[in-house]
Amino acid sequence: GVPLNSAGIRPTNMLYSMGKAAALTAADHKGIPLLAALDEALVAVLRSGAIKLLRAEFLRADGSEAMLPKLLHRQELERMELERGICVFLTPEDAVAALRSLRREVAGLTYGWASPDHPDVTGEYLANVRRFLRHPLGEHVTALFWDFSSLPQKPRTEAEDELFSQSLKVMGDVYASAFGTTVIRHRSVPSQPAELDGEVVILVEKGGGLDGAGAEAELRSALGAFENPRYEEGRWRVRFPTHAAAEAAVEAATAADALPGAIAVFLFYNGRPYLARGWTTFESAVSTEAIAWLAFFSGLGKLLEERLAPKVIEINGEGPRVAEAEDRAEEGMGPRNRRVIAAIQEAAFTGKGDKPVVVQLYRDYAVKVNNAMLASGEKVKREYEGERNAAGEYEGRGVMRIANGDVYEGEFKAGKQEGRGVMRFASGAVYEGEWKAGKEVVLLQAGC
């Protein structure tokens, strides 16, 4: 049998890690090309260069620490390539090939930025990414998505702004890809360096009352005593005598809206826990959306478990390890979807308009996965209450509850939905109307 690990848990993907599994191919199951097709928007953005993937070997190789002792942003790495003749990024063609490999060759890092200027102030994230890439769980990875190094960072040119906008539309796809990406998750946030105690950032509206060096007196009136005020384009950065004083100032300014003209006021070093952040909550949710559905599609689920590397790897703490999966299959997908949406709504976002956008991104992806899974043709367990014909088939009015959480109520004929009926999908989508020949019509309408 498959051995238990030190925690007494039988790890998933054991056959893969033991090197005994055959490669996954699109012909192995009808659902594979359907789920792979959900990556096409991400493919287009990789082709355009809006997202660049780091070569895993650049960070994995001996001597990498000397070449890149600190994480650099994309524009700095592009200059390094030109000036030193080093291949830092995959070409767009190679990036697409890695995504389409059906081997989860692309690692996507989900983590909490430590500061608005640099996400890895202490270097802990970079050290743990390297540790993963050199570990057996990371040996299949050929490419890495790390937002700071893969996307153009500020200050951006007009052309770079356009690339950045393109990339934001597919952020969920980077983590959600069922066959293209392995998600590497760093749940812990590094401890705050003492030199950043008391540092606060005030983002200001362009042309507003706080936009300019002359607004220092107004800031002092609203926030109290602080030191070392620095005005930079679009923001102020100030230091309070103690970190407690800084936290109190941020709370007061945020709660009372005491700073007209301020977009946001926050601590420079962001120690907020991973699961209390909006974007990371979303990234974790879409990482496992397709995997959660596989509890109801055992054929495809078994293929992925045996032939692919694990989907989510924890990389903080004692070392790389397969993330433990939630086992709530008996509830169906509806409760999961509602939990995810509630978690996103409760989490914190820096951008004022981000929350509803992210909730909709999640809803949209959940519907797409639902449709792809249903189109795979693999049967899902279901229960029926209602009228039947002489042959025992569903016929007349009835209710059909599908194990994934979808519920159909309406008319049936010869065992299939036919006539008037309502399908309430686990994702939250609803279709009400005429049905004919059952599931085939449901598939055509599922996205409406």
Side-chain angles (χ1 to χ4, degrees):
V2 178
L4 300 180
N5 64 17
S6 59
I9 298 169
R10 183 169 283 106
T12 58
N13 306 81
M14 179 60 76
L15 290 177
Y16 177 92
S17 65
M18 293 168 69
K20 296 181 179 179
L24 190 70
T25 71
D28 289 328
H29 192 285
K30 187 179 176 182
I32 292 174
L34 294 170
L35 284 171
L38 302 183
D39 293 341
E40 287 309 297
L42 178 55
V43 165
V45 172
L46 290 173
R47 280 206 175 111
S48 75
I51 291 177
K52 288 190 174 183
L53 300 181
L54 292 160
R55 289 177 56 248
E57 200 55 35
F58 172 67
L59 294 177
R60 182 188 284 130
D62 293 339
S64 168
E65 284 84 354
M67 188 170 296
L68 190 72
K70 180 181 180 181
L71 185 69
L72 300 179
H73 65 57
R74 172 166 153 172
Q75 293 95 317
E76 293 170 320
L77 290 171
E78 289 171 336
R79 285 194 291 272
M80 177 186 284
E81 279 193 317
L82 289 172
E83 294 170 2
R84 300 173 63 180
I86 299 168
C87 292
V88 176
F89 299 104
L90 267 65
T91 65
E93 294 76 18
D94 287 344
V96 169
L99 183 71
R100 286 180 163 172
S101 67
L102 299 182
R103 294 186 66 246
R104 293 180 178 160
E105 288 187 15
V106 179
L109 175 64
T110 174
Y111 69 114
W113 275 48
S115 84
D117 292 1
H118 196 285
D120 191 18
V121 174
T122 66
E124 181 177 322
Y125 289 135
L126 181 56
N128 286 343
V129 167
R130 280 193 170 110
R131 180 176 65 173
F132 161 74
L133 291 172
R134 292 165 177 168
H135 188 275
L137 285 171
E139 62 188 5
H140 68 288
V141 170
T142 62
L144 172 67
F145 171 83
W146 190 330
D147 54 4
F148 189 64
S149 298
S150 294
L151 310 178
Q153 300 299 313
K154 293 181 178 179
R156 291 187 285 262
T157 64
E158 188 174 333
E160 288 169 342
D161 268 332
E162 174 57 30
L163 293 176
F164 188 77
S165 296
Q166 289 179 31
S167 67
L168 289 183
K169 297 173 183 176
V170 297
M171 277 299 93
D173 296 17
V174 171
Y175 303 97
S177 175
F179 312 119
T181 62
T182 297
V183 175
I184 54 176
R185 183 164 59 192
H186 202 295
R187 283 181 181 257
S188 62
V189 178
S191 299
Q192 176 178 293
E195 62 268 22
L196 294 179
D197 280 356
E199 288 282 321
V200 169
V201 174
I202 304 102
L203 302 183
V204 301
E205 296 173 354
K206 188 173 183 179
L210 300 177
D211 185 18
E216 182 180 334
E218 188 172 348
L219 283 177
R220 289 190 183 279
S221 174
L223 298 178
F226 55 72
E227 307 160 358
N228 195 22
R230 288 146 286 168
Y231 175 75
E232 302 155 356
E233 186 176 358
R235 76 177 194 181
W236 282 87
R237 186 170 166 186
V238 302
R239 181 188 289 273
F240 286 82
T242 66
H243 200 65
E247 289 177 321
V250 168
E251 184 176 354
T254 304
D257 195 20
L259 273 176
I263 298 171
V265 183
F266 51 86
L267 297 171
F268 181 79
Y269 196 86
N270 188 354
R272 182 176 287 116
Y274 177 94
L275 290 176
R277 299 176 185 231
W279 279 102
T280 51
T281 298
F282 166 71
E283 290 160 6
S284 274
V286 294
S287 297
T288 53
E289 186 70 18
I291 305 305
W293 275 95
L294 292 175
F296 313 107
F297 295 83
S298 57
L300 182 56
K302 188 172 187 293
L303 271 175
L304 268 62
E305 183 173 333
E306 291 181 350
R307 299 195 189 180
L308 289 181
K311 175 60 181 173
V312 183
I313 306 293
E314 310 286 5
I315 66 168
N316 58 286
E318 64 269 24
R321 58 211 179 274
V322 179
E324 293 184 25
E326 277 189 342
D327 186 12
R328 291 175 168 171
E330 72 283 354
E331 292 183 343
M333 288 299 290
R336 170 192 158 86
N337 294 154
R338 289 190 289 274
R339 277 196 306 275
V340 169
I341 291 168
I344 293 171
Q345 289 173 333
E346 291 170 9
F349 288 87
T350 301
K352 290 181 179 179
D354 284 356
K355 187 172 294 187
V357 171
V358 173
V359 167
Q360 192 58 47
L361 283 174
Y362 173 71
R363 288 186 190 276
D364 291 345
Y365 188 74
V367 170
K368 288 191 291 186
V369 172
N370 180 9
N371 292 348
M373 291 291 193
L374 291 175
S376 73
E378 186 173 333
K379 296 296 183 184
V380 186
K381 183 180 177 182
R382 58 195 65 203
E383 295 178 354
Y384 174 77
E385 296 176 10
E387 299 171 340
R388 296 176 184 262
N389 61 19
E393 298 172 314
Y394 311 160
E395 190 154 308
R397 290 200 59 82
V399 178
M400 182 171 64
R401 294 180 175 86
I402 305 172
N404 63 10
D406 295 348
V407 178
Y408 171 84
E409 182 174 1
E411 296 175 320
F412 291 83
K413 183 177 181 181
K416 297 180 180 180
Q417 298 102 312
E418 181 147 343
R420 188 79 181 171
V422 180
M423 176 69 90
R424 293 179 173 84
F425 295 95
S427 64
V430 176
Y431 171 71
E432 180 175 3
E434 294 296 322
W435 299 74
K436 187 172 179 61
K439 187 169 67 174
E440 290 75 15
V441 174
V442 173
L443 293 176
L444 290 172
Q445 303 294 342
C448 295

